Amino acid sequence: MTSRVLLLHGLWMRPASMALLASRLARAGFAPERIGYASVRGNPEFAIRELQREMRSAPCHVVAHSLGGLVTLTALEREPDLPVLRVVCLGSPLCGSAA
């Protein structure tokens, strides 16, 4: 079983926003990696491709917050054979959002 966990932040956030979660996962024996992307002014296609590249490099789990969950699921939808074992979405608008 892999202990590698990719952490993906949400809209208006930076990788540092996942620091506390990364610390707790590390204490629990996981190997967290915080992944950053330009959530507001960046190109979503770039974020998806970068995440796919990270996922391809070694088996992993993904914990994603908000927009990060949508980026993750889009990456997996486009490339379903990526070695991702589990995805946890935290507050991701999977059924849309009124905001």
Side-chain angles (χ1 to χ4, degrees):
M1 182 176 117
T2 185
S3 62
R4 181 175 181 241
V5 180
L6 302 180
L7 301 175
L8 202 64
H9 61 84
L11 184 67
W12 297 103
M13 313 282 289
R14 294 180 181 251
S17 67
M18 302 298 272
L20 181 59
L21 181 56
S23 174
R24 290 179 176 170
L25 286 168
R27 281 196 308 268
F30 292 93
E33 299 174 27
R34 291 180 282 163
I35 307 299
Y37 65 100
S39 66
V40 178
R41 295 184 184 202
N43 181 341
E45 291 301 319
F46 178 76
I48 292 164
R49 286 193 307 273
E50 283 298 303
L51 181 59
Q52 287 171 325
R53 185 182 59 76
E54 287 293 332
M55 291 172 165
R56 255 185 241 109
S57 68
C60 64
H61 303 286
V62 179
V63 177
H65 174 251
S66 187
L67 179 61
L70 299 178
V71 169
T72 300
L73 295 180
T74 300
L76 289 169
E77 181 179 59
R78 291 182 183 178
E79 198 172 333
D81 293 331
L82 289 167
V84 175
L85 304 170
R86 182 176 292 124
V87 174
V88 176
C89 294
L90 305 172
S92 296
L94 303 178
C95 295
S97 172

